[in-house]
Amino acid sequence: GNSVTQMEGPVTLSEEAFLTINCTYTATGYPSLFWYVQYPGEGLQLLLKATKADDKGSNKGFEATYRKETTSFHLEKGSVQVSDSAVYFCALRPAGGTSYGKLTFGQGTILTVHP
Amino acid sequence: EAGVTQFPSHSVIEKGQTVTLRCDPISGHDNLYWYRRVMGKEIKFLLHFVKESKQDESGMPNNRFLAERTGGTYSTLKVQPAELEDSGVYFCASSPSQAYNEQFFGPGTRLTVL
């Protein structure tokens, strides 16, 4: 079956540091890939997405590139802010089939940014 | 436009009791999903409605869980009888009929079974 593996957290950084959160996946075909973010006390929000190989998703200074050859979708940001402190989830959605709506999530990475 | 809403935000019940969670999707969204996150683990899919029909219920853990979406609007998820391992956060999400790529999530219901 499909699966998503995220780097273990928590991750603690100083403001303006570079962020990478690794994500790799196992799936057949060409799934769509997502990063969701959950800020304290809130629900999950879509941060960015990519629907085909070599696509780059970007939003709020975050970027991730769909790498089919390495089955990866690593999240990066060049300069983090305190307001980026949250839990980040990598997820995939299959290309088709009965479970076309099913998101498979990684375990989540807690990011804390200090001033 | 109102987002996905869930009720209650928290529920604490005794083992063996029944609990019903409610989800109101974004108006006009045909697709409605239920997920849950057990403490410290990944968010897991439970099921997917298209309007009032169950498109995919492959993630429902056992027959103690019953999901309904009468009339294709709001949905309920009933757990009867609740067990300790049912504790966690239950998320609902919705998406429009032609935009499967983005699912909009509610804030979740935190269920604690004692």
Side-chain angles (χ1 to χ4, degrees), chain A residues 40-72:
Chain A
E42 300 183 13
L44 280 77
Q45 300 174 24
L46 179 64
L47 180 59
L48 53 83
K49 67 182 181 187
T51 57
K52 60 183 187 292
D54 299 325
D55 265 2
K56 177 186 282 189
S58 61
N59 186 25
K60 300 181 180 180
F62 290 89
E63 293 183 339
T65 301
Y66 188 142
R67 301 286 188 200
K68 181 68 173 172
E69 63 276 14
T70 54
T71 61
S72 65

Side-chain angles (χ1 to χ4, degrees), chain A residues 68-96:
Chain A
K68 181 68 173 172
E69 63 276 14
T70 54
T71 61
S72 65
F73 193 55
H74 305 321
L75 183 68
E76 296 182 337
K77 187 175 186 183
S79 176
V80 294
Q81 305 300 312
V82 173
S83 56
D84 294 326
S85 298
V87 185
Y88 292 80
F89 295 93
C90 186
L92 71 79
R93 187 183 63 79

